[in-house]
mmCIF file of all heavy atoms in Angstrom:
data_model
loop_
_atom_site.group_PDB
_atom_site.id
_atom_site.type_symbol
_atom_site.label_atom_id
_atom_site.label_comp_id
_atom_site.label_asym_id
_atom_site.label_seq_id
_atom_site.Cartn_x
_atom_site.Cartn_y
_atom_site.Cartn_z
ATOM 1 N N ALA A 36 -0.158 -1.518 -4.790
ATOM 2 C CA ALA A 36 -1.104 -1.058 -5.817
ATOM 3 C C ALA A 36 -0.767 -1.625 -7.187
ATOM 4 O O ALA A 36 0.329 -2.130 -7.423
ATOM 5 C CB ALA A 36 -1.075 0.469 -5.870
ATOM 6 N N ASN A 37 -1.731 -1.545 -8.061
ATOM 7 C CA ASN A 37 -1.669 -1.909 -9.491
ATOM 8 C C ASN A 37 -1.875 -3.400 -9.771
ATOM 9 O O ASN A 37 -2.632 -3.770 -10.643
ATOM 10 C CB ASN A 37 -0.369 -1.454 -10.173
ATOM 11 C CG ASN A 37 -0.151 0.049 -10.081
ATOM 12 O OD1 ASN A 37 -1.093 0.816 -10.078
ATOM 13 N ND2 ASN A 37 1.099 0.473 -9.993
ATOM 14 N N TYR A 42 -3.463 -0.706 -13.219
ATOM 15 C CA TYR A 42 -2.799 0.573 -12.960
ATOM 16 C C TYR A 42 -3.789 1.626 -12.459
ATOM 17 O O TYR A 42 -4.805 1.901 -13.100
ATOM 18 C CB TYR A 42 -2.111 1.066 -14.248
ATOM 19 C CG TYR A 42 -1.414 2.391 -14.087
ATOM 20 C CD1 TYR A 42 -0.325 2.519 -13.219
ATOM 21 C CD2 TYR A 42 -1.844 3.513 -14.778
ATOM 22 C CE1 TYR A 42 0.314 3.736 -13.056
ATOM 23 C CE2 TYR A 42 -1.209 4.735 -14.624
ATOM 24 C CZ TYR A 42 -0.125 4.839 -13.755
ATOM 25 O OH TYR A 42 0.513 6.037 -13.591
ATOM 26 N N ASP A 43 -3.504 2.160 -11.286
ATOM 27 C CA ASP A 43 -4.304 3.221 -10.650
ATOM 28 C C ASP A 43 -5.726 2.800 -10.268
ATOM 29 O O ASP A 43 -6.552 3.652 -9.954
ATOM 30 C CB ASP A 43 -4.372 4.479 -11.544
ATOM 31 C CG ASP A 43 -3.172 5.419 -11.298
ATOM 32 O OD1 ASP A 43 -2.314 5.074 -10.474
ATOM 33 O OD2 ASP A 43 -3.123 6.487 -11.939
ATOM 34 N N GLU A 149 -4.390 11.792 -1.174
ATOM 35 C CA GLU A 149 -3.296 10.992 -1.707
ATOM 36 C C GLU A 149 -3.282 10.942 -3.231
ATOM 37 O O GLU A 149 -2.228 10.870 -3.854
ATOM 38 C CB GLU A 149 -3.368 9.570 -1.135
ATOM 39 C CG GLU A 149 -2.010 8.917 -0.900
ATOM 40 C CD GLU A 149 -1.442 8.235 -2.134
ATOM 41 O OE1 GLU A 149 -2.186 8.001 -3.113
ATOM 42 O OE2 GLU A 149 -0.238 7.943 -2.142
ATOM 43 N N HIS A 151 -4.242 8.554 -5.230
ATOM 44 C CA HIS A 151 -4.247 7.227 -5.854
ATOM 45 C C HIS A 151 -5.169 6.285 -5.081
ATOM 46 O O HIS A 151 -4.769 5.714 -4.072
ATOM 47 C CB HIS A 151 -2.833 6.628 -5.890
ATOM 48 C CG HIS A 151 -1.855 7.517 -6.566
ATOM 49 N ND1 HIS A 151 -0.710 7.970 -5.956
ATOM 50 C CD2 HIS A 151 -1.867 8.067 -7.795
ATOM 51 C CE1 HIS A 151 -0.057 8.751 -6.786
ATOM 52 N NE2 HIS A 151 -0.732 8.829 -7.910
ATOM 53 N N ASP A 153 -6.065 3.333 -5.609
ATOM 54 C CA ASP A 153 -5.579 1.938 -5.517
ATOM 55 C C ASP A 153 -4.631 1.757 -4.335
ATOM 56 O O ASP A 153 -4.372 0.633 -3.907
ATOM 57 C CB ASP A 153 -4.901 1.517 -6.831
ATOM 58 C CG ASP A 153 -3.811 2.491 -7.284
ATOM 59 O OD1 ASP A 153 -3.847 3.680 -6.900
ATOM 60 O OD2 ASP A 153 -2.920 2.054 -8.026
ATOM 61 N N ASN A 154 -4.114 2.852 -3.800
ATOM 62 C CA ASN A 154 -3.233 2.794 -2.632
ATOM 63 C C ASN A 154 -4.002 2.980 -1.330
ATOM 64 O O ASN A 154 -3.809 2.222 -0.380
ATOM 65 C CB ASN A 154 -2.198 3.928 -2.702
ATOM 66 C CG ASN A 154 -0.834 3.413 -3.045
ATOM 67 O OD1 ASN A 154 -0.562 2.234 -2.891
ATOM 68 N ND2 ASN A 154 0.015 4.291 -3.515
ATOM 69 N N THR A 197 7.359 7.969 -6.362
ATOM 70 C CA THR A 197 6.213 7.797 -7.262
ATOM 71 C C THR A 197 6.304 8.814 -8.397
ATOM 72 O O THR A 197 6.016 8.507 -9.552
ATOM 73 C CB THR A 197 4.904 7.987 -6.472
ATOM 74 O OG1 THR A 197 4.874 6.996 -5.447
ATOM 75 C CG2 THR A 197 3.679 7.813 -7.336
ATOM 76 N N ARG A 201 6.298 7.854 -12.265
ATOM 77 C CA ARG A 201 5.191 8.282 -13.142
ATOM 78 C C ARG A 201 5.726 9.129 -14.303
ATOM 79 O O ARG A 201 5.116 9.204 -15.354
ATOM 80 C CB ARG A 201 4.131 9.077 -12.359
ATOM 81 C CG ARG A 201 3.335 8.210 -11.401
ATOM 82 C CD ARG A 201 2.292 8.982 -10.635
ATOM 83 N NE ARG A 201 1.008 9.056 -11.295
ATOM 84 C CZ ARG A 201 0.039 8.140 -11.207
ATOM 85 N NH1 ARG A 201 0.215 7.053 -10.488
ATOM 86 N NH2 ARG A 201 -1.102 8.291 -11.834
ATOM 87 N N HIS A 244 2.213 0.480 -17.530
ATOM 88 C CA HIS A 244 3.252 1.115 -16.704
ATOM 89 C C HIS A 244 4.497 0.249 -16.512
ATOM 90 O O HIS A 244 5.612 0.755 -16.551
ATOM 91 C CB HIS A 244 2.668 1.531 -15.329
ATOM 92 C CG HIS A 244 2.331 0.380 -14.439
ATOM 93 N ND1 HIS A 244 3.025 0.101 -13.293
ATOM 94 C CD2 HIS A 244 1.396 -0.600 -14.555
ATOM 95 C CE1 HIS A 244 2.499 -0.970 -12.728
ATOM 96 N NE2 HIS A 244 1.523 -1.414 -13.471
ATOM 97 N N ARG A 248 8.786 1.018 -16.407
ATOM 98 C CA ARG A 248 9.393 1.144 -15.072
ATOM 99 C C ARG A 248 10.515 0.137 -14.820
ATOM 100 O O ARG A 248 11.312 0.331 -13.898
ATOM 101 C CB ARG A 248 8.293 1.004 -14.005
ATOM 102 C CG ARG A 248 7.394 2.225 -13.976
ATOM 103 C CD ARG A 248 6.220 2.075 -13.046
ATOM 104 N NE ARG A 248 5.600 3.378 -12.786
ATOM 105 C CZ ARG A 248 4.475 3.544 -12.097
ATOM 106 N NH1 ARG A 248 3.844 2.489 -11.586
ATOM 107 N NH2 ARG A 248 3.998 4.746 -11.892
ATOM 108 N N GLY A 274 2.992 -1.238 -6.650
ATOM 109 C CA GLY A 274 2.785 0.202 -6.775
ATOM 110 C C GLY A 274 3.702 0.779 -7.844
ATOM 111 O O GLY A 274 3.855 0.214 -8.929
ATOM 112 N N ALA A 275 4.349 1.888 -7.517
ATOM 113 C CA ALA A 275 5.261 2.520 -8.467
ATOM 114 C C ALA A 275 6.665 1.909 -8.387
ATOM 115 O O ALA A 275 7.589 2.390 -9.026
ATOM 116 C CB ALA A 275 5.318 4.013 -8.179
HETATM 117 N N1 LIG B 23 -0.923 3.520 -9.032
HETATM 118 C C1 LIG B 23 0.127 4.383 -8.601
HETATM 119 C C2 LIG B 23 1.309 4.285 -9.543
HETATM 120 C C3 LIG B 23 0.532 4.014 -7.215
HETATM 121 O O1 LIG B 23 1.623 3.183 -9.962
HETATM 122 O O2 LIG B 23 1.922 5.294 -9.864
HETATM 123 C C4 LIG B 23 1.566 4.944 -6.675
HETATM 124 O O3 LIG B 23 1.523 5.048 -5.332
#
Side-chain angles (χ1 to χ4, degrees):
N37 302 328
Y42 179 64
D43 273 1
E149 214 275 345
H151 304 123
D153 53 336
N154 253 341
T197 300
R201 290 180 89 86
H244 70 111
R248 288 174 165 174

